[in-house]
Amino acid sequence: GAGVSQSPSNKVTEKGKDVELRCDPISGHTALYWYRQSLGQGLEFLIYFQGNSAPDKSGLPSDRFSAERTGGSVSTLTIQRTQQEDSAVYLCASSFYSDNQPQHFGDGTRLSIL
Amino acid sequence: QQPVQSPQAVILREGEDAVINCSSSKALYSVHWYRQKHGEAPVFLMILLKGGEQKGHEKISASFNEKKQQSSLYLTASQLSYSGTYFCGVESSASKIIFGSGTRLSIRP
């Protein structure tokens, strides 16, 4: 596939459970971003990976959130001990080396915490 | 740090024009514009670089005033397909893009 792929597309889980969200960026894109979008709201920056550099984690809302990117490609966003306020659409985007490059978004994972 | 977009929402009749503004408190390297339709991922429209650049895309164009740290998106002779939420994203340093809260545009026939 040519686009950014995210899985699962929907995830429903109980409060307190851990969840893992996956992002497969466009081949060759060295920059990868995670955003969170609550219903009717804007795009909240979470974390940014660029090549082999240390990620910019400044947007992660709490220590329950973590992300990793293996081999400079696939990324996993993990939320531990989920809370109801974590319910949102989690969007991943990738781009070529990020300066002045358009971001290509995946379709997102809709996370619902019961 | 988040750029401020205005207006928050606008309703137009088909064929009318609109302007969406984006302002930042920080010096900017570039401004990105995206459109998101309901239930879909944001789609890239254009990037504007430092230097007061103006770019166009169909009947959608934008300007970037580096001095004022502002960008404006112009939609002329709006079409039904222009409906959606428009986001500006600002790149101030370290290649990180921070998005505004969005402007919801509704076009009526």
Side-chain angles (χ1 to χ4, degrees), chain A residues 47-83:
Chain A
I47 189 169
Y48 156 55
F49 296 89
Q50 170 50 36
N52 294 322
S53 302
D56 181 339
K57 304 179 181 180
S58 59
L60 294 179
S62 77
D63 59 8
R64 296 187 294 105
F65 288 73
S66 63
E68 62 177 21
R69 189 178 184 191
T70 53
S73 180
V74 172
S75 177
T76 302
L77 177 69
T78 301
I79 308 174
Q80 295 179 312
R81 306 180 302 282
T82 52
Q83 303 294 314

Side-chain angles (χ1 to χ4, degrees), chain A residues 4-52:
Chain A
V4 176
S5 177
Q6 290 189 246
S7 61
S9 54
N10 285 282
K11 177 73 176 178
V12 181
T13 192
E14 293 179 347
K15 177 182 171 181
K17 300 284 189 183
D18 298 351
V19 294
E20 284 190 353
L21 312 180
R22 176 188 169 104
C23 173
D24 201 340
I26 292 173
S27 178
H29 281 191
T30 57
L32 187 148
Y33 304 79
W34 283 98
Y35 297 93
R36 178 169 70 175
Q37 187 172 35
S38 300
L39 188 62
Q41 301 300 308
L43 302 167
E44 177 189 3
F45 168 80
L46 296 177
I47 189 169
Y48 156 55
F49 296 89
Q50 170 50 36
N52 294 322

Side-chain angles (χ1 to χ4, degrees), chain B residues 25-45:
Chain B
S25 58
K26 299 181 72 172
L28 304 177
Y29 292 123
S30 65
V31 178
H32 301 224
W33 285 97
Y34 291 78
R35 177 172 62 206
Q36 184 179 33
K37 292 188 176 289
H38 182 69
E40 299 180 8
V43 173
F44 169 76
L45 293 176

Side-chain angles (χ1 to χ4, degrees), chain B residues 49-97:
Chain B
L49 308 178
K50 292 194 292 187
E53 183 175 357
Q54 184 154 357
K55 299 185 74 172
H57 178 79
E58 298 176 347
K59 293 182 180 177
I60 302 174
S61 62
S63 62
F64 178 22
N65 188 321
E66 178 192 347
K67 227 174 188 179
K68 293 185 178 180
Q69 295 162 191
Q70 292 177 347
S71 178
S72 294
L73 186 72
Y74 307 94
L75 300 102
T76 58
S78 58
Q79 305 169 15
L80 293 175
S81 62
Y82 289 179
S83 293
T85 301
Y86 289 78
F87 293 98
C88 71
V90 299
E91 188 171 1
S92 57
S93 66
S95 305
K96 184 171 76 179
I97 300 170

